[in-house]
Structures are given as structure tokens and as C-alpha cells.
């Protein structure tokens, strides 16, 4: 029996929206948003979407009208009553009332601000300008829209069974990864793959497969909507966005040098427990830890997101030991370009030396490598970053110069101020 | 939106029937049935289901009640008006009115006769006794029920995503086979996999994948129900059942020696054109062709179903040449235990020497080898055969002694009468 009402209702959609909820975003965005809303609502920022994989000609693949329809749909979204109830009433990281009433009242009225979209050759220039707490909310949905429209563009030309087999292959591949991960008894791993997912439905499938296949070893998802619907922990703390904007706003080199620590001072006031996770690589992990204030060593853990993960984890372990901390009590979260091989290696090396956790991103939610002709569904490196704050350019160095962002002269100044020496370039896959 | 009516309707099923239509059977059964109904309605036969793969303990896997429910459901089936219309009105093998009004009137009232089911150790003994045209209709649905209940028994203990991935793997495997077959430009292949299919839904999926993947190279399915629903050619001619029963009824050795030819005399009267396909291996292909009457060389083709397919095809080609026939005008149908490797080899050797066709069975509709723990979904060799006719035992020799059926002393007598010399035993996979 065909359900006629469902068919008729489905036909009435003008488009098939990629993003259907304000909560279809990463949890750390909301944590950062509360901090930004309370402390820096007046800062003007510009975010820009950048395709680092220039061999993927987005403007050839995706029609501009289609992007506008998707982005306009997102601009029409508002937090629903049920979503608001979940944010207000849920326990996050074991804590109730994570989001204050002032912030929730604001978020309930929140709508996405304007966007600027322009074709430039075979790429699009997509930028967002306005107040920081509004503009920052575009990052994740903008990425998810472009990623999924590209998937749709590629699958549109396929036969029905070709498509079925495409997903059969992707499911098989993912399940084989899960079967390998199941061999690691103390594993803790979560989904960090919202931004560069193949599609919403595929991310949701991947999360459910992880739930069944890994049980307790699967600790949750960064995606708030999926966490809410699947009754999972929402996972995430903070991102490079905070030190990048704080640094851009610094008036001189002295203020610049301490900007990353001011981020963590604020964070220390706003959040506690497992949310106190250091992201040290924005301007070089070694220098950051060397000059860090003593109190930071008491934080719960560290997230390793660029450079050699082994090296950076060892640097953190040494740093904790020097400050009289027991590394076995500390959380180390690896989150940079992970796949099963690397997870196994890092697990073997660190699982009995620290509290270990993995944030698995693109190769969880978008490993379609080799599954379409001309590898047209391989994930690619799309980012959406703050490029300026109050008119000043932002800079990111990270521990991998291939991930550096910002004007060349500013990069040089930052390298000098943060005493970043020679860096090893690593290929950026995703 | 959940369709409540559908959910409620589905819940009202006491069981999930494996076979839901009289037409969920092989087309050749109906062709043979018409001949048997008209010529031998008074012959009493006994059919018996035999599991040649004794390592699969069917009685441990499947509850007896479950089998009875399925068989009882089949006994309640009757040809529907739409099915009757299709049989009466459709064109089969380019010919209208294949089934006469006398036969159709009988078939519209047809119901499956009784069955006898008994557990014997870790196997079941399932037998059917009665008039030939009634009992013979049990063969295909009885096999399909046992095969599918075994699949269900194995998948019942699996997790939801484990099951999804199981089918993802099976789909991927089948699609990769289809992609290989697509490389053979003059291929003609059809689905012969009803009897030992993994399940009805899986056979239906396999057929649809063949339709999309192979287009015109896919010539149809032996399954009448799927042929009707998917608007495909129904494929099939005749089976060992006819010569086995005719031979059992022979009064003496002289009558026995000519029994297989009497089958084809009757067939010649009842059907023409592409339905005139010789199945020569029941009592040895070589001897059968050597002693065949001249007029048989004018038939359309031959089906090679046991022994070495290359050797038997060469024997047939030589035989046609000796009788002044052009083998390039003759149809050779390979149908024994095929998979892609063998299809490619046979295609390479014969495609420009004869009109070539493949009947692909178990490894099309049930290739779940290696996909479940302990290989618990691997296909196995279940057959359902006439074991006696009017109280006399039936015998099948075939070109592979591993496929021989019947009492030992009768097998010896048949070997003597048909002058079958030494035979090469080949493993029977499915």
C-alpha cells in the first residue's frame, strides 16, 4: 500500500533540504556561541568558505540556484520548541543547565544572517559578514550544503541499482572498519563528521551503525540533531575560531602573544570538567604549552588536531609530567584526518598511557573513495573559517603549514610572535 | 509519516509467507504440467525432498511448525484472476495461447495436494504423493520454502545493521558479477534461480539488478510471478522429471531404452519453436544422442545440465554436424552450477560457434558464501524429485555420478540399458 498522504506531502517540497534544523550543527558551535554571545556580541567578523581541493570544480558541478535555495531554506529555520527543550533540559557532559536562560532566549529567536554567493571561475565565493555570534553559525551548515549538493550532483546521473550498489559498497566498507575497531577493548570514539559528510542521511546511518557495532565504545556524536534524535551524547568543546578571532583583535604583538591564553581564561570561567579541553595547535603546540600559565595544566585534556599526532601527544604528556600532573588522568583526543589504520596505531601507543578518545570525521561520514567513476565522490577539503574580525585579518598556523590560513605577511608576524620554527608539512586529505 | 493502515495490515498476517502465488514457480513446470495433465493425469507419483548437503542440519535450524505453516499457506493459494489472464493472454516465446482452455480451466481450480512432513534425525523427510499433475507442482515451492526458512533462521539472530551490511555485501558481490558479464557483448542470460534462492525478495532484487545492469543481454526469468510483475520473458522448457517418470513406467528394458525419446515425441506434438530444447543427460548425453531419431536433430537446441559442459556441448555440435545441421543455427543453453568464471569461459569458447544462452541459478539468487559467521548462509544442495511412478522407483543418472538418484540395483540396470560407461564425478556445489 502506498501512503498517498506521504507521497503528496513529499511532492509539495520545493526542494529536498540538506539542513532542516538549527541543531544540525556541531555541539562545540553552541558552546562557543554562548561564550561569544555573552562576551563578544559586538565583534564584526567575516567568514569565508574555501575549497582547498581546487581539482573539484564546484561551480561546474552545482548550480548556483540550487545553493541559494538551500541557504535560503536554512535562513528560514528557527529553533523548534522541542529542540529548545532538549537544549535547556538535557544533561551535557554530566551537567544540567549548560545553556543559560539569557542565551536560550536569544537562540530561540535566532535566524541565520545574510550570505554573499558569487561564482569565481569554476569555484564559488561564499562569504558571511556580520556580528560574530550570528555569522559563526553558518560554518557547519554551509559546509554540509556544499558537500551534499556535490554528492547529489554526482549520484543524479546514476541508475537506480547503480545507486543501491554505491551505498551497499559504502555500508560494507564502513562496517568493516567498525568490525576492526571492535577489536580495541578500551576504545572511546565519537562522530565528528558533520561538516564534511556525504549527506545527512548517510551520517545518520553511520552513527547508527557505530551504535550497533561498537556499543559502549561509541561515545556520541558532535551533531546536536542526531544526538537528540538517537539519544546519544553530544560531543565537542571548542575550536580554532576562538583563538583566531581573539588574536586578530589583539592591538599589538604583546597582546597577540597572550591572546590564546585569554581564550582559555574565558573558557575556564564559562565551562568546567570535561569541557576544559585545550586545543593548542592554532599557533604551534610546542610554544603554546611552553608559555602556558600553570593553571592550564589542571585542565582535563587536550585535542590533537594537526601535525604529527604522536609527537604532539608526547609533547603534551611531557608537559603534564613537568607540571606534576599524571598523564593517565588526562584526556587526549585525536581528531585530525583519522581512519582505522591511524586509530589502531594511536590506540596501541597511547591507550594505557592516557585517557584516550578519538573524534572521527570525514572518513567516517564520507568515505566514498573509489566508489564512483573518476572517483567523483571522494571527500575533499572544504573549510569555512573566520577570515577577519573588526576588519583585521585572522591567521591560523597549526602544526602543519599546509593548513595555514591568512595573509602571508601576517603569517610571518605570527610565526615570529609565537616563535614557531621549522614545521613539517603533511598532506591534507580532508 | 507512518502509514498506519499498512502497519496494521502487515501485523494481521499470522506468518510472513515465503510463497504467495501459484505462479511463484518455474515456467517449465507449467509447460510440463500441461503435457502431464493432458497425457498422464492418472499416473500416481511420489516426490521427495532430499538435502544432499547433510552438513546443513535443517531440523536443528528450522522449527517443524514453521514449515507446516508455510506449506499450509501454499495449500490455500489459488490462481488469481489476474494471473490467469496473464497465462491466457501473454505471448510466451513469441507465441500466443500457449496454454489451452481445458488446461487453464483445470489450473484455475487447482490447489496443492497434501504433504507428509516428518523429522528424521537432524533432517526432515518431506514427501508428496498423489496424481502426477498435482504432486509435481510442489517441487519448486517446497524447495523455496526450505531454502528461505533456513535464511530466516540464520538472519534472525543478527543485529539490524549486521543484516543491512549482509545485504550490502551480497548486493555488491552480485553487482560486480553483473559488471563483468556486461563485458560480453553477445551474452544472453536468464535467471534460473527460483528453487534455491536465498529468499523471494532477494531473487526479485537480483532480477531487477540484472535488468538495469545487463539490459537486452538479460533475456528473462524462469519465475512466472516475477516475469509477470517485472514484464519479462518467462523462460524454461522441460526437465528431467519427464524422462524419469516415463522411464519408471516402462514395462521392460526395451521400453525403457526408448522412453526418453517418447518424452520428446510428446513434446514435439505439444510445443514448437524455441520450446523444442533437448535435455539429453538424464541417462547419459552421448548414448542419448547416438540413438536419437533423425527428426530430433531438427530441434532448436540443447540444454547442458551436468557433466563437463564443454565436452557435452562439443558432443552436441558433432552430432548436429553429422546430421547435416548447422550448429551456428542451434541453441546451446548451459544451466549447471554456473558462476561468472564459468560463464566467461563457456562464452569465450562457444559464443561464435552456436547460439549461446545461460540459465544462471543458485549463484545468481543465493550467493551468500562467506557472508555470515560459520558460512551459515552458503547455498546448499537441496532437491525435490520424483522418486516413484505407479509404485516403480525412478532413476536419474545424469552425466555426473554424484547427481545420480534411485535404488542401486535400478541404477545398474539403467546403466546397462543405456550403455553408460565410466563417468567422471564432479563435485555438486549447489
Amino acid at each position: 500500500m502506498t501512503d498517498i498522504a506521504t507521497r503528496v506531502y513529499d511532492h509539495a517540497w520545493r526542494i529536498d533540504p540538506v539542513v532542516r534544523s538549527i541543531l544540525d550543527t556541531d555541539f562545540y558551535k553552541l558552546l562557543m556561541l554562548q561564550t561569544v554571545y555573552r562576551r563578544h556580541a559586538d565583534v564584526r567578523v567575516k567568514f569565508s568558505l574555501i575549497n582547498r581541493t581546487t581539482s573539484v570544480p564546484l561551480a561546474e558541478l552545482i548550480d548556483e540556484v540550487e545553493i541559494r535555495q538551500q541557504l535560503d531554506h536554512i535562513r528560514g529555520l528557527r529553533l523548534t520548541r522541542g529542540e529548545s527543550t532538549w537544549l535547556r533540559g538535557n544533561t551535557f557532559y554530566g551537567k544540567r543547565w549548560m545553556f543559560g536562560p539569557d542565551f536560550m532566549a536569544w537562540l530561540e529567536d535566532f535566524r541565520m544572517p545574510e550570505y554573499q554567493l558569487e561564482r569565481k571561475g569554476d569555484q564559488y565565493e561564499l562569504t558571511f559578514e556580520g556580528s560574530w555570534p550570528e555569522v559563526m553559525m553558518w560554518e557547519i551548515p554551509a559546509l554540509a550544503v556544499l558537500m551534499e549538493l556535490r554528492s547529489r550532483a554526482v549520484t543524479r546521473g546514476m541508475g537506480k541499482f547503480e545507486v543501491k550498489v554505491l551505498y551497499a559498497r559504502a555500508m560494507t566498507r564502513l562496517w568493516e572498519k567498525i568490525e576492526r575497531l571492535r577489536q580495541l577493548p578500551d576504545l572511546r570514539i565519537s562522530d565528528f563528521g558533520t561538516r564534511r559528510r556525504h549527506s545527512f542521511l548517510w551520517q545518520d546511518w553511520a552513527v547508527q551503525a557505530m551504535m550497533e557495532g561498537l556499543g559502549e565504545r561509541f561515545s556520541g556524536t558532535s551533531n546536536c540533531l542526531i544526538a537528540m534524535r538517537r539519544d546519544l551524547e553530544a560531543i565537542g568543546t571548542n575550536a580554532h575560531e576562538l583563538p583566531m578571532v581573539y588574536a586578530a583583535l589583539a592591538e599589538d604583538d604583546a597582546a597577540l602573544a597572550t591572546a590564546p591564553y585569554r581564550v582559555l581564561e574565558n573558557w575556564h570561567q564559562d565551562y568546567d570538567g570535561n569541557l576544559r579541553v585545550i586545543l593548542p595547535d592554532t599557533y604551534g603546540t610546542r610554544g603554546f604549552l611552553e608559555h602556558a600559565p600553570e593553571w592550564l595544566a589542571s585542565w582535563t585534556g587536550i585535542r590533537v588536531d594537526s601535525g604529527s599526532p604522536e609527537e604532539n601527544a608526547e609533547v603534551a604528556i611531557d608537559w603534564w609530567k613537568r607540571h606534576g600532573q599524571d598523564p593517565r588522568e588526562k584526556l587526549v583526543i585525536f581528531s585530525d584526518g583519522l581512519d582505522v589504520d591511524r586509530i589502531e596505531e594511536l590506540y596501541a601507543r597511547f591507550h594505557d598511557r592516557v585517557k584516550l578518545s578519538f573524534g572521527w570525521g570525514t572518513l567516517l561520514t564520507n568515505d566514498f573513495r573509489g566508489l564512483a567513476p573518476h572517483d567523483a565522490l571522494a571527500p575533499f577539503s572544504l573549510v569555512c573559517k573566520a577570515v577577519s574580525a573588526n576588519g583585521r585579518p585572522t591567521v591560523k598556523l597549526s602544526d602543519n603549514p599546509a593548513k595555514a590560513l591568512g595573509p602571508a605577511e601576517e603569517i610571518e608576524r605570527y610565526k615570529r610572535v609565537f616563535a614557531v620554527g621549522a614545521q613539517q608539512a603533511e598532506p591534507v586529505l580532508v
Side-chain angles (χ1 to χ4, degrees), chain A residues 2-17 20 201:
Chain A
T2 303
D3 180 358
I4 297 175
T6 300
R7 286 283 292 267
V8 169
Y9 181 76
D10 287 349
H11 283 158
W13 284 96
R14 283 181 308 112
I15 59 165
D16 182 359
R20 297 177 180 218
L201 289 177

Side-chain angles (χ1 to χ4, degrees), chain A residues 79 89 121 194 205 230 235 257 297 299 302 325 338 346 369 395:
Chain A
L79 200 67
T194 299
W205 197 93
R230 303 283 168 209
I235 305 281
W299 272 32
I302 200 162
Q325 302 283 331
L338 293 174
L346 293 165
R369 292 175 296 178
V395 169

Side-chain angles (χ1 to χ4, degrees), chain A residues 47-54 56-69 71 115-128 142-143 145-147 149-150 153 380-384:
Chain A
F47 272 58
S48 183
L49 188 129
I50 300 149
N51 178 12
R52 292 192 290 212
T53 311
T54 50
V56 175
L58 287 178
E60 308 277 321
L61 289 166
I62 310 169
D63 197 75
E64 188 177 324
V65 171
E66 237 189 320
I67 302 176
R68 290 187 183 278
Q69 287 175 330
L71 299 178
Y115 62 89
Q116 293 79 44
L117 176 66
E118 203 180 325
R119 184 174 174 151
K120 287 282 171 78
D122 61 4
Q123 298 294 335
Y124 287 109
E125 199 171 274
L126 178 56
T127 53
F128 310 95
L143 290 169
V145 161
L146 269 291
M147 294 301 290
L149 288 183
R150 187 268 206 147
F380 60 106
S381 188
L382 197 67
V383 295
C384 182

Side-chain angles (χ1 to χ4, degrees), chain A residues 81-96:
Chain A
R81 185 189 292 238
E83 290 167 345
S84 175
T85 301
W86 182 76
L87 284 175
R88 286 172 184 272
N90 196 27
T91 305
F92 298 103
Y93 284 84
K95 204 185 155 202
R96 287 206 184 277

Side-chain angles (χ1 to χ4, degrees), chain A residues 366-397:
Chain A
N366 198 358
D367 190 358
F368 283 66
R369 292 175 296 178
L371 298 185
H374 315 296
D375 212 3
L377 285 175
F380 60 106
S381 188
L382 197 67
V383 295
C384 182
K385 294 285 180 194
V387 292
S388 72
N390 286 351
R392 300 162 189 257
T394 64
V395 169
K396 180 185 175 190
L397 299 178

